[in-house]
C-alpha cells in the first residue's frame, strides 16, 4: 500500500483527496491545526517553519508527496505578495529538492491561471504562459522550480470544484449556497474555464503517480464553459432557480485582479499518457449532486476544529 503525504490536507483538494484514497492508501496529512478527528494520520506543522520540510519527510517516509499547500486566494496574494512567494514558489522548490534527494515521487499542483486568456481555443502544455497578478506569477515560478529541482516530479495545472471544510471554498459551493438561500448572484459570461469535480481530479492525480508520469500536465474538466453557464448547470442539476444568477461581464466587475478570459486547457497529453479518458463534466456534476444527497458536505465539514 503506497504511503501518500498530502500537504495542505485541510484545503479543498487535500481533504477530498485524503477522503477519496484513505481506504486504499496510507494517508498522512500535513495540517496547521484546522482539522480535528480526521480519519487519517495528521502531522501538525507549519511548513514555513525552518526545518519543517525535512522533518515531515523524515518522520512520514512517504512513497509519494502531493503538494496541495498554497496561498490560492488571488486577493490574498495581491495583499501579501511575500507570503505568496513563500508558499507558491519557495515551499514547492524546497519540497521538490528534498523529495528528489530522498527518491520520493513528488506531485505539485499549479493553475490554469498561468495563461493570460487571450488565446482562442484550448491551451496546451507547449503554449507560453503570461501570468496576470501575483498568484499566477508565483505559481508559474513554482512550476519552473519544481521541474528544475526534480526531473522525476509532476506538475499538474488544475481547476476544480467540490465540497470543502469551510463550505465556501469552491465556485460550486458559491452557486449552490446562494441558490439554496434564494440569494441573487452574478456569473461571468466571458470568463471561460474547464471545471472538474475535485474527487475526479484526486483520482486522476493518483493514476498519474501510479503510472510514474513526470513533467508538466494539464488536468481540468472535459468541457469549457463560462462561469455563468457553470452556475446555470448547478441550478438545473439541483432544481434551483437559475434566474437568480445574472449574466455579467468581467469588465463590469470591480475585481482587484484582472481575470483571464479563456482558461480552456487541453488535456490530450494526460489522456494519451494515462490511456484513459477524463470523466465527463456531467458525470462529475451528477456526483456533486449525489454527494450532497448523501451528506458528504456535512462529513467533510465535520473534520473542522
Ligand atoms: N481551487 C481551484 O480550483 C484551483 C484552481 C487552480 C489551481 N489550484 C491549485 O491547487 C492546489 C490546491 O488548491 P486548494 O483550492 O485545495 O487550496 P486551499 O483550499 O486554499 O488550501 C490550501 C492549503 O494550504 C495550506 N497551507 C497554507 N499555508 C500553509 C503553511 N504555512 N503550512 C502548511 N500548510 C499551509 C492551508 O492550510 P490552512 O487550512 O491551515 O490555511 C490549506 O490546507 C493549490 O496549489 C492551488 O494553487 C486550485
Amino acid at each position: 500500500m503506497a504511503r501518500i503525504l498530502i500537504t495542505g490536507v485541510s484545503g479543498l483538494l487535500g481533504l477530498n483527496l485524503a477522503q477519496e484514497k484513505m481506504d486504499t492508501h496510507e494517508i498522512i496529512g500535513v495540517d496547521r491545526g484546522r482539522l480535528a478527528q480526521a480519519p487519517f494520520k495528521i502531522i501538525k506543522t507549519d511548513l514555513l517553519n525552518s526545518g519543517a520540510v525535512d522533518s515531515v519527510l523524515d518522520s512520514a517516509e512517504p512513497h509519494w508527496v502531493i503538494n496541495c499547500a498554497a496561498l490560492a486566494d488571488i486577493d490574498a496574494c495581491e495583499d501579501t505578495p511575500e507570503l505568496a512567494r513563500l508558499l507558491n514558489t519557495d515551499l514547492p522548490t524546497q519540497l521538490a529538492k528534498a523529495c528528489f534527494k530522498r527518491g520520493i515521487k513528488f506531485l505539485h499542483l499549479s493553475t490554469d491561471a498561468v495563461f493570460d486568456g487571450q488565446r482562442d481555443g484550448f491551451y496546451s502544455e507547449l503554449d507560453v504562459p503570461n501570468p496576470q497578478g501575483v498568484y499566477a506569477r508565483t505559481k508559474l515560478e513554482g512550476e519552473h522550480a519544481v521541474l528544475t529541482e526534480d526531473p522525476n516530479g509532476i506538475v499538474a495545472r488544475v481547476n476544480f470544484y467540490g465540497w470543502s471544510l469551510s463550505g465556501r471554498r469552491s465556485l460550486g459551493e458559491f452557486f449552490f449556497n446562494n441558490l439554496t438561500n434564494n440569494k441573487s448572484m452574478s456569473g461571468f459570461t466571458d470568463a471561460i474555464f474547464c471545471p472538474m469535480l475535485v474527487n475526479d481530479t484526486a483520482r486522476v492525480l493518483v493514476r498519474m503517480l501510479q503510472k510514474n508520469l513526470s513533467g508538466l500536465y494539464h488536468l481540468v474538466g472535459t468541457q469549457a464553459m463560462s462561469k455563468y453557464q457553470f452556475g446555470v448547470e448547478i441550478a438545473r442539476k439541483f432544481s434551483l432557480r437559475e434566474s437568480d444568477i445574472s449574466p455579467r461581464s468581467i469588465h463590469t466587475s470591480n475585481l482587484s485582479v484582472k481575470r483571464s478570459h479563456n482558461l480552456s486547457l487541453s488535456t490530450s497529453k494526460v489522456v494519451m499518457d494515462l490511456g484513459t479518458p477524463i470523466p465527463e463534466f456531467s458525470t462529475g456534476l451528477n456526483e456533486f449532486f449525489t454527494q450532497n444527497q448523501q451528506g458528504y458536505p456535512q462529513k467533510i465539514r465535520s473534520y473542522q476544529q
Side-chain angles (χ1 to χ4, degrees):
M1 193 189 256
R3 190 177 311 124
I4 315 180
L5 183 82
I6 302 175
T7 63
V9 79
S10 59
L12 175 57
L13 175 60
L15 192 51
N16 283 283
L17 174 62
Q19 183 70 36
E20 197 61 46
K21 291 295 164 188
M22 67 187 183
D23 294 335
T24 50
H25 295 73
E26 186 183 341
I27 300 293
I28 305 175
V30 181
D31 172 43
R32 291 196 294 182
R34 276 182 73 203
L35 295 182
Q37 347 146 352
F40 43 83
K41 251 193 241 166
I42 292 286
I43 297 178
K44 206 174 254 193
T45 194
D46 185 321
L47 285 167
L48 295 183
N49 289 344
S50 152
V53 165
D54 286 327
S55 122
V56 162
L57 293 181
D58 289 339
S59 68
E61 296 189 319
H63 301 105
W64 301 336
V65 170
I66 305 181
N67 179 31
C68 304
L71 189 62
D73 178 317
I74 292 179
D75 296 320
C77 287
E78 294 295 322
D79 294 343
T80 56
E82 184 53 22
L83 182 62
R85 190 181 57 76
L86 288 171
L87 278 163
N88 296 340
T89 308
D90 296 358
L91 177 62
T93 310
Q94 230 186 316
L95 281 165
K97 217 184 263 189
C99 285
F100 184 62
K101 193 170 111 194
R102 289 167 175 79
I104 300 167
K105 185 82 182 170
F106 181 53
L107 193 162
H108 174 63
L109 277 308
S110 187
T111 173
D112 53 359
V114 295
F115 295 111
D116 61 17
Q118 296 305 309
R119 189 191 199 291
D120 287 331
F122 288 77
Y123 285 98
S124 89
E125 288 82 352
L126 298 175
D127 284 309
V128 180
N130 181 22
Q132 310 286 303
V134 174
Y135 171 65
R137 213 161 35 243
T138 54
K139 292 298 289 184
L140 182 64
E141 284 163 10
E143 288 185 0
H144 289 159
V146 167
L147 296 173
T148 306
E149 296 295 342
D150 183 358
N152 302 324
I154 307 175
V155 171
R157 291 179 180 150
V158 291
N159 197 304
F160 44 76
Y161 66 96
W163 304 106
S164 68
L165 193 67
S166 66
R168 294 187 309 270
R169 173 75 187 93
S170 81
L171 189 63
E173 291 171 311
F174 166 80
F175 284 118
F176 173 81
N177 293 340
N178 283 320
L179 287 161
T180 44
N181 291 317
N182 296 317
K183 278 197 183 157
S184 52
M185 76 224 82
S186 48
F188 296 128
T189 48
D190 48 1
I192 310 295
F193 73 139
C194 299
M196 184 176 198
L197 182 69
V198 69
N199 307 78
D200 282 330
T201 309
R203 291 187 279 258
V204 179
L205 290 174
V206 170
R207 282 210 293 279
M208 292 166 75
L209 286 162
Q210 284 164 337
K211 263 231 151 173
N212 201 21
L213 303 186
S214 56
L216 178 64
Y217 284 91
H218 289 174
L219 175 59
V220 293
T222 50
Q223 208 176 314
M225 64 185 73
S226 70
K227 298 209 167 167
Y228 169 74
Q229 191 192 338
F230 177 61
V232 168
E233 296 284 349
I234 288 184
R236 288 183 185 160
K237 184 74 228 172
F238 286 83
S239 305
L240 295 165
R241 212 168 41 208
E242 66 185 76
S243 58
D244 283 348
I245 311 173
S246 323
R248 186 170 181 188
S249 164
I250 42 177
H251 296 301
T252 64
S253 76
N254 49 9
L255 293 169
S256 56
V257 186
K258 210 168 131 195
R259 299 300 198 271
S260 301
H261 269 299
N262 172 30
L263 293 179
S264 310
L265 306 191
S266 161
T267 52
S268 308
K269 184 180 175 199
V270 75
V271 168
M272 170 96 81
D273 289 358
L274 284 180
T276 48
I278 301 288
E280 291 297 325
F281 172 74
S282 58
T283 310
L285 188 59
N286 286 342
E287 186 175 340
F288 186 62
F289 175 76
T290 309
Q291 285 174 333
N292 185 52
Q293 284 191 316
Q294 296 178 344
Y296 184 84
Q298 290 74 13
K299 183 160 73 179
I300 287 285
R301 289 203 293 271
S302 74
Y303 301 144
Q304 195 156 14
Q305 191 69 267

